[in-house]
Structures are given as structure tokens and as C-alpha cells.
Amino acid sequence: MYEQVLHEFVQNPAEYRGQWREKMFGNDAPLHIELGTGRGRFITTMAAMHPQINYIGIELFPEVIVRVYQKKQQLQVTNLALICMDAANILEVFEDQEVDRIYLNFSDPWPKTKQADKRLTARPFLDKYRQILKRDGEIHFKTDNRDLFDFSLEMMEAAGWQLKNVTYDLCNSDFEGNVMTEYEEKFSQRGVPICRLEATPPT
Ligand code: SAM
């Protein structure tokens, strides 16, 4: 079924490198990206809530990102582009300091030590995020997985990222305006506390 809408995703994202604002969105607004959108409730809701921001959703699997496309169509948002690709390739798609914010929501935990480099907060990913983020850019990361959260805190601290608004229980924190993802809703309903942090790149 998803084959019919594959053309709706950005076909050659590398062609927009360094020019996402003007070439894709026709403006100079901030650029926020989400890596691993899943079914996309978060990014589509954010795009509808913040028409003054440009959003790009990135997801590995076409059969998953097609759900994001459906939500985008329902909400009729024009400030959201979708790319079906591996987040490991972001340097091919974004120029240095092109991105204002990166959202990582409920990233796959890859619990085995030998798979640690696949975690989206592993050092090789953090180094890429540092490159594409503006100096005052931010990562916003949420997860139900305490081990992944602790790993991420450790990685970010070791790499010199500045951490802020760190909470181990988002629901009972003073953070306002949370937009729930599909995974977040599932875990929150089971009473699992949600961890959240914001991080700015090392200077
Ligand atoms: N963010 C969504 C949420 O909170 O409901 C989905 C969370 S799900 C656990 C993780 C998603 O990240 C999956 O859809 C998976 O396919 C995607 N993903 C994992 N590794 C990825 C990668 N390297 N590049 C792009 N997407 C990835």
C-alpha cells in the first residue's frame, strides 16, 4: 500500500542540503527535525501547532512513515517534509549548522552492548548532531527506557554537551506543553515514568 505514496516523501534529500529553508519551504524559518518519527503523531501535531517552524520527519521504514504522511494529509500542514532514510546519513542531507533542533522520541534502545553504536544517542550520532546543529541548537530527547536515558546522559556529558531540563518523570515535572508520541502514550498508560532532557552542543 505504501508504494503508492512513496513519491510523497523527499526523493533526493541530499539535493536540499544547505537549502532546506528556501528550496523546500520558501522561507527563512527555524528548522526542527525528528529522527525516528514512527507513526508521526508528534511531528504532525507540532507542525500544526507551530506553522512558523519548518519541520522534517525522518524514519527508516516506508511502511511506518506512510502513517506520518496520512496524518500530514489529514491536518493539511505545509510546513512538514518527510524523508525515508537512515538517520546515520544525516550529514549527506544537512549542512553544518543548518538545523535548529533535533527531536529524538523513544528511540530504539538497542540493549545489547555490541549494538550500542546503533543507539541514536551514541557518540557517532552525537558528533553528527553537533555538526548539523546551530551553535545554540538543541536536542530534545524523551524515552521510557531508563538504561538508554542514563547511557545518553553519560555520552552527552562525556562529549561536552550542556544538559538542561533533565527529568526522570516528565508527567510530574514542571515541563509544559508536552506533545505525546504514540509510544509515550502506551508507556504512560502503563505507569512507566518518562525521562526527558534538552542538550546544547559543546562550544
Ligand atoms: N518516535 C516514535 C514514538 O515515540 O512513537 C517511534 C518510536 S519507535 C520505538 C522508534 C522509531 O525509530 C521506529 O519507527 C524506527 O523505525 C525508527 N528508527 C530506528 N532507527 C532509525 C534510524 N537509524 N533512522 C531512522 N529511523 C530510525
Side-chain angles (χ1 to χ4, degrees):
M1 171 306 197
Y2 66 82
E3 288 87 350
Q4 290 159 16
V5 295
L6 278 182
H7 63 278
E8 301 288 350
F9 310 133
V10 182
Q11 295 301 308
N12 298 300
E15 287 177 6
Y16 292 86
R17 191 172 185 272
Q19 305 175 77
W20 281 100
R21 289 176 179 77
E22 54 272 36
K23 199 166 164 181
M24 172 60 66
F25 299 105
N27 61 41
D28 195 28
L31 186 60
H32 293 188
I33 69 175
E34 184 185 18
L35 306 178
T37 59
R39 295 175 169 210
R41 182 197 294 167
F42 178 84
I43 195 90
T44 53
T45 306
M46 292 294 280
M49 285 170 67
H50 304 286
Q52 76 284 9
I53 307 277
N54 298 321
Y55 290 92
I56 299 179
I58 294 174
E59 166 58 46
L60 191 54
F61 294 112
E63 63 272 28
V64 178
I65 200 172
V66 72
R67 306 286 186 168
V68 195
Y69 170 71
Q70 289 164 346
K71 291 185 178 75
K72 178 187 167 186
Q73 290 301 94
Q74 280 163 10
L75 291 170
Q76 298 190 323
V77 288
T78 55
N79 56 330
L80 170 61
L82 301 176
I83 310 176
C84 188
M85 70 170 213
D86 189 333
N89 299 324
I90 47 173
L91 294 186
E92 295 167 19
V93 170
F94 299 105
E95 201 173 67
D96 289 7
Q97 299 187 45
E98 187 171 13
V99 175
D100 293 88
R101 188 176 295 173
I102 297 173
Y103 289 106
L104 302 172
N105 291 317
F106 299 83
S107 308
D108 291 333
W110 295 106
K112 292 182 184 156
T113 307
K114 65 181 180 192
Q115 298 170 325
D117 274 356
K118 293 187 175 184
R119 298 173 191 153
L120 292 188
T121 50
R123 183 64 190 257
F125 280 100
L126 291 182
D127 290 346
K128 291 174 185 173
Y129 305 156
R130 178 185 184 174
Q131 209 169 317
I132 65 169
L133 274 176
K134 290 190 172 158
R135 290 287 162 260
D136 62 349
E138 293 175 340
I139 294 174
H140 288 198
F141 173 54
K142 289 194 283 191
T143 181
D144 63 296
N145 189 303
R146 181 64 189 261
D147 287 343
L148 178 65
F149 194 67
D150 289 342
F151 167 87
S152 306
L153 283 173
E154 207 176 294
M155 286 291 121
M156 288 175 179
E157 274 170 353
W161 289 69
Q162 296 291 317
L163 295 163
K164 57 179 181 174
N165 298 327
V166 177
T167 177
Y168 294 90
D169 188 358
L170 178 58
C171 190
N172 291 307
S173 74
D174 52 12
F175 181 73
E176 290 176 5
N178 185 44
V179 171
M180 274 211 190
T181 78
E182 283 89 345
Y183 267 69
E184 185 171 0
E185 184 176 71
K186 195 168 73 173
F187 289 113
S188 296
Q189 282 173 352
R190 288 184 200 158
V192 180
I194 304 302
C195 303
R196 184 182 182 279
L197 65 78
E198 297 173 10
T200 51
T203 46

